[in-house]
């Protein structure tokens, strides 16, 4: 299996992507294609400690900044993101992995690869680790504005992903809302509720923000605006609780001792809830496999993202979405149509 | 000052509301009007330990369940919520405080009291405690569907509240979105951005979910759907982190000791981020003062909610909103109008 990796993406760039990718090559027996500025990549390969790992380099001399705007990046024909997506399009790689600017990766992958037949809008899906089991949340930011049928498509794709990759039989689908009863929510959610209820999916109704971690649903669907806000709130809460904890313990010697004893365990929890760690989000419904890692990814997280890409390809998620989408034609057209 | 309290509301009903309210009567020198089933209230007054605290009882024999639907509760003419709101309408109380079903309190207060002139939709506003300073988030659930001018009204009301009650001069207004740059967000946010930028408010642009706790803005405006999801995600994260911590520490004797030493401090942090503790949300823009406490409120939280009501009235927030709204006529009509 050949996996293209955007060597230039992420807050740490090639210093994290190159050693992470080469490590993955050895660990998973995949061929890595490093895409980016060749001279920079070569240097990092030498430094990585795995210079012999199976890899090739494809030169892509234009960089896209983490905060760069659509107007700027879409003109760059030789950016590592565009070149990486093109490798998948041309059948020269089975998947593309990037830790780069999420907006740019979503836009360029959509532009280069397009959607699977039957899917209007690919969605960015993230596995959120709960206390007991993980939940797939989608969309987490690819589509700020959604229509009811988009949410139904997200639900179908989420179901297939959780069956194929998560090993969950007949996943429970929840709809992100602000109250569990039918009728709660905004217009989008109320209409999507009816369509999901009329579908053959195992729809369990509305869920709330707190259910992101409760394990109440295996898949939670949401428009990309709400999903992204929810995700970033998570990040903020965890950071502020930890910051308060650090501040709190300086006040008292016993608390300080307690913190030291507990520190290793608190870090473990932080890793569990920190989505930078767990290998990135998948663009479901794209005609080609693309995994987007967190900008903050270290080499271990880059390796995890490549593991996700490999799982995704090995479990034939794309083919299954393509095959199953037509079964839901009724729900996609809407109950009133 | 006379404050009407919904004695029947909340998960613990009169067992929490009555002692909490009577305690507030003594502590803050306010007259408490307990609204609900008279016989039940009388019994709790005797049990409360403060039977002599300044209070009167108004009988309201119909109860509204915490999960009851609009269809059911709006027919009840003698519910404690409707009767309580009516006391404010009739000038017999300066404020109404309820821990009841949020949807019912919002609906009935709007129905009985209406909005301040110039405000189309009252918003539910919550002070979120950050690491360093608090942020007012609104709307957190009164309006699932919003128009751009609603968000501008929320911003104005939030500004006035933070000046009057929070003591923040010229509060920084942030718009909840999914990226800081102008142009990021859904259609609603993109249009509201332009209007806020054209207004005389101190608009700092888009903020993200993580900024709920970062102190980056003094006021964050959002539609009620997104705001409510954000709030409930917070609740879920805190609960799941604590649950993971409890699970983690059972594995190791040193960790257990560490946890015991840190427990008191962790509880303090939990109290800080647990919005059940800090006294409830205010309905801004309603023609009358109404504070909605969390359903899980214990007597101390009920007392805190009454403290908020008193502050609200004492700082003449209503009058200030009424006076200031006309200054923003241009932004409310929209930049394109």
């Amino acid at each position: 299996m050949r996996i293209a990796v955007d060597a230039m993406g992420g807050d740490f760039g090639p210093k994290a992507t190159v050693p992470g990718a080469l490590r993955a090559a050895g660990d998973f027996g995949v061929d890595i294609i490093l895409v980016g500025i060749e001279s920079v990549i070569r240097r990092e390969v030498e430094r990585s400690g795995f210079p012999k790992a199976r890899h090739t380099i494809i030169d892509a001399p234009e960089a896209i900044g983490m905060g760069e705007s659509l107007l700027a990046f879409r003109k760059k024909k030789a950016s590592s993101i565009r070149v990486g997506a093109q490798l998948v399009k041309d059948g020269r790689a089975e998947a593309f992995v990037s830790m780069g600017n999420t907006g740019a990766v979503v836009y360029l992958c959509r532009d280069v690869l397009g959607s699977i037949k039957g899917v209007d809008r690919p969605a960015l899906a993230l596995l959120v680790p709960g206390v007991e089991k993980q939940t797939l949340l989608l969309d987490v930011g690819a589509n700020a504005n959604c229509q009811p049928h988009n949410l139904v498509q997200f639900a179908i794709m989420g179901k297939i992903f959780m069956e194929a990759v998560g090993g969950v039989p007949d996943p429970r689908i929840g709809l992100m809302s602000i109250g569990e009863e039918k009728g709660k929510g905004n217009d989008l959610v109320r209409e999507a509720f009816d369509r999901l209820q009329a579908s053959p999916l195992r729809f369990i109704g509305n869920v709330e923000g707190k259910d992101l971690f409760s394990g109440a649903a295996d898949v939670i669907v949401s428009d990309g605006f709400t999903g992204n806000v929810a995700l970033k709130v998570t990040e903020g809460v965890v950071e502020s609780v930890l910051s308060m904890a650090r501040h709190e313990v300086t006040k008292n010697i016993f608390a300080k001792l307690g913190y030291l004893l507990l520190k290793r365990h608190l870090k473990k929890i932080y890793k569990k809830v920190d989505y930078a760690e767990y290998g990135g989000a998948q663009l479901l419904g794209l005609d080609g496999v693309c995994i987007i890692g967190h900008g903050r990814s270290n080499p271990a997280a880059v390796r995890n993202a490549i593991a996700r890409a490999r799982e995704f390809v090995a479990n034939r998620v794309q083919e299954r979405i393509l095959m199953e989408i037509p079964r839901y034609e009724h729900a996609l057209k809407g109950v009133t149509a």
Side-chain angles (χ1 to χ4, degrees), chain A:
Chain A
M1 192 185 298
R2 296 153 303 173
I3 298 179
V5 177
D6 171 12
M8 310 314 287
D11 297 345
F12 312 117
K15 284 192 195 327
T17 57
V18 172
L22 296 181
R23 179 103 182 240
D27 291 353
F28 311 132
V30 293
D31 288 301
I32 294 293
I33 307 172
L34 294 165
V35 186
I37 301 171
E38 194 171 349
S39 57
V40 177
I41 296 175
R42 281 208 190 285
R43 200 173 55 221
E44 290 304 328
V45 169
E46 289 309 315
R47 281 184 186 162
S48 71
F50 314 93
K52 300 264 166 71
R54 267 151 56 183
H55 75 277
T56 47
I57 299 173
I58 300 264
D59 191 41
E62 283 180 303
I64 292 181
M66 291 302 277
E68 200 165 305
S69 81
L70 176 62
L71 278 167
F73 68 68
R74 72 175 172 190
K75 286 188 203 143
K76 295 183 176 169
K77 293 296 172 201
S79 72
S80 54
I81 300 172
R82 188 180 281 280
V83 171
Q86 192 66 43
L87 288 171
V88 175
K89 176 81 176 174
D90 298 341
R92 294 171 63 196
E94 273 72 45
F96 175 53
V97 174
S98 177
M99 319 291 142
N101 176 335
T102 302
V105 181
V106 170
Y107 179 88
L108 293 172
C109 283
R110 220 148 51 179
D111 193 40
V112 172
L113 295 162
S115 305
I116 285 180
K117 190 173 179 290
V119 177
D120 296 290
R121 307 270 207 102
L124 197 57
L126 187 78
L127 271 172
V128 178
V131 178
E132 313 234 321
K133 46 175 77 179
Q134 38 188 14
T135 299
L136 189 76
L137 175 66
L138 77 168
D139 179 17
V140 297
N143 307 283
N145 297 291
C146 288
Q147 300 294 323
H149 74 275
N150 297 133
L151 298 197
V152 177
Q153 291 180 353
F154 298 170
I156 299 165
M157 298 191 291
K159 168 199 179 270
I160 296 166
F161 180 85
M162 285 306 272
E163 279 175 346
V165 177
V168 180
D170 203 9
R172 295 158 303 154
I173 313 289
L175 177 61
M176 181 66 93
S177 188
I178 59 170
E180 287 169 12
E181 308 81 15
K182 182 182 160 136
K184 288 285 172 84
N186 57 16
D187 294 341
L188 171 68
V189 162
R190 290 154 62 122
E191 207 181 313
F193 189 104
D194 290 334
R195 295 189 185 207
L196 286 165
Q197 206 166 35
S199 80
L201 291 162
R202 187 171 164 203
F203 179 53
I204 60 163
N206 289 340
V207 297
E208 295 191 293
K210 63 183 161 51
D211 294 314
L212 211 47
F213 297 89
S214 74
D218 301 305
V219 176
I220 297 180
V221 291
S222 159
D223 67 273
F225 183 83
T226 308
N228 189 275
V229 169
L231 196 66
K232 297 232 175 107
V233 167
T234 306
E235 207 175 340
V237 180
V238 172
E239 271 170 23
S240 71
V241 166
L242 283 177
S243 155
M244 284 178 199
R246 276 189 297 265
H247 182 76
E248 236 349 274
V249 300
T250 57
K251 291 183 191 163
N252 175 305
I253 181 80
F254 294 107
K256 207 176 256 175
L257 177 62
Y259 182 72
L260 287 175
L261 289 168
L262 213 51
K263 202 172 169 184
R264 190 166 59 91
H265 300 270
L266 288 176
K267 276 212 173 142
K268 226 157 123 183
I269 296 171
Y270 182 66
K271 275 196 168 183
K272 211 171 162 178
V273 294
D274 182 18
Y275 66 95
E277 286 285 334
Y278 45 88
Q282 26 271 317
L283 262 170
L284 294 178
L286 195 71
D287 195 6
V289 179
C290 174
I291 305 292
I292 305 180
H294 196 288
R296 276 193 282 117
S297 294
N298 57 22
V302 172
R303 176 183 167 279
N304 291 346
I306 293 168
R308 286 220 178 277
R310 182 172 158 271
E311 259 182 345
F312 200 98
V313 175
N315 287 297
R316 306 174 61 82
V317 177
Q318 298 292 94
E319 293 82 342
R320 293 165 82 153
I321 293 175
L322 201 53
M323 265 173 50
E324 284 208 33
I325 283 273
R327 281 185 51 201
Y328 298 90
E329 209 180 337
H330 178 70
L332 287 171
K333 281 194 182 141
V335 284
T336 51

